[in-house]
Amino acid sequence: MIARADTTAITLNTALYYSLKQPIIWQRLKSEIPSQDSKSSISATSYKNSRNFPYLNAVVREALRYHPGVSMLLERNVPEGGLNLPDERHVPAGCVVGMNPYVLGRNKSVFGEDADTFRPGRWLRDEELETEEEFQQRLHLMNNRDLAFGGGSRICLGKHLGLVEVYKVLATIISRYGISFVDPTRECFFVRQSGIKLKLSSRT
Ligand code: HEM
């Protein structure tokens, strides 16, 4: 059972990390979400209120696209009769096929030439460049290609709970705390490594 915790944590990490890396994104989040005394007895921002922040919504959507919690093939068995691909190739029944949400999220024909950049603005209408109708069409295309929670009968069972957690946590901590990297420049005489995991076993 690997569901639930890691995917939610990865989404929160991605949203925070890439927003803090680009001060313009972080500033916009801070100006959208009103500040709250960190010692206030008021409980966490409600999910309903956290959904009222359009830029926060754009950041969450972008985090799920840019660094989806599940970045391997979402496998499916080809049923009886096989599968006809759009390019007319045929995949026989019994084969395992799949799509990778990470790869799909970087599709430039859907998300734009800057698909390799973390840019929440793509989830909002660019009022200088597109009409409301054009934006809705673009949004529809992006929504249709979004596999961050998978799709079909095996779609993530915790999608709604996961989203509640992500929106509430982000809105609450942004409203209450100033957040910054401990060492933004990472300038150091030594080039330290981190995150390397090794396994030792007996040689004899
Ligand atoms: C941001 C948070 C989350 C993300 C990005 C995420 C993503 C995913 C993805 C991509 C799958 C595979 C879907 C497929 O094969 O089509 C999945 C499956 C699943 N997820 Fe999540 N998940 C999240 C949160 C949660 C939470 C909070 C729970 C439970 C409380 C949960 C429970 C499950 C379960 C049980 C499955 C297996 C569904 C099945 O195979 O029928 N997930 N999730």
Side-chain angles (χ1 to χ4, degrees):
M1 184 69 185
I2 56 166
R4 192 183 156 211
D6 286 334
T7 42
T8 310
I10 290 167
T11 309
L12 284 167
N13 275 340
T14 307
L16 277 175
Y17 178 78
Y18 288 103
S19 301
L20 283 164
K21 285 270 279 188
Q22 296 182 63
I24 197 163
I25 298 179
W26 190 245
Q27 281 311 324
R28 194 159 166 190
L29 277 174
K30 285 207 305 186
S31 45
E32 182 180 72
I33 302 172
S35 66
Q36 181 82 251
D37 183 352
S38 60
K39 295 187 186 75
S40 146
S41 56
I42 301 170
S43 59
T45 309
S46 69
Y47 177 58
K48 193 175 166 206
N49 283 348
S50 67
R51 291 308 301 253
N52 285 335
F53 301 123
Y55 195 68
L56 175 66
N57 179 52
V59 165
V60 173
R61 296 297 312 267
E62 186 68 345
L64 286 163
R65 175 194 78 84
Y66 194 71
H67 191 119
V70 178
S71 293
M72 288 176 71
L73 287 191
L74 303 180
E75 294 186 347
R76 301 293 190 265
N77 295 321
V78 175
E80 237 174 79
L83 169 74
N84 292 321
L85 296 175
D87 65 2
E88 292 177 3
R89 278 179 298 169
H90 180 78
V91 185
C95 284
V96 176
V97 294
M99 290 177 104
N100 180 329
Y102 187 98
V103 174
L104 208 65
R106 301 300 178 99
N107 186 338
K108 293 188 172 147
S109 66
V110 175
F111 297 99
E113 278 307 305
D114 65 352
D116 288 327
T117 305
F118 185 86
R119 186 176 67 81
R122 78 182 75 250
W123 297 96
L124 299 169
R125 181 181 156 205
D126 184 334
E127 288 180 17
E128 282 171 19
L129 290 181
E130 59 191 352
T131 61
E132 180 59 30
E133 200 186 338
E134 285 166 341
F135 169 61
Q136 288 304 331
Q137 275 172 8
R138 193 167 62 77
L139 190 61
H140 183 69
L141 182 70
M142 294 196 293
N143 285 340
N144 266 347
R145 304 300 190 279
D146 177 9
L147 264 200
F149 289 95
S153 59
R154 302 303 299 271
I155 195 169
C156 172
L157 286 179
K159 176 176 179 180
H160 300 291
L161 180 59
L163 288 174
V164 168
E165 291 176 325
V166 169
Y167 279 92
K168 273 182 78 102
V169 169
L170 286 174
T172 303
I173 61 174
I174 294 169
S175 70
R176 289 179 175 226
Y177 305 103
I179 307 172
S180 56
F181 288 114
V182 172
D183 176 9
T185 56
R186 291 184 69 87
E187 267 173 21
C188 183
F189 188 71
F190 302 110
V191 186
R192 294 198 183 95
Q193 302 96 332
S194 63
I196 301 172
K197 291 182 181 164
L198 301 176
K199 220 163 124 184
L200 299 189
S201 60
S202 168
R203 287 185 59 184
T204 53

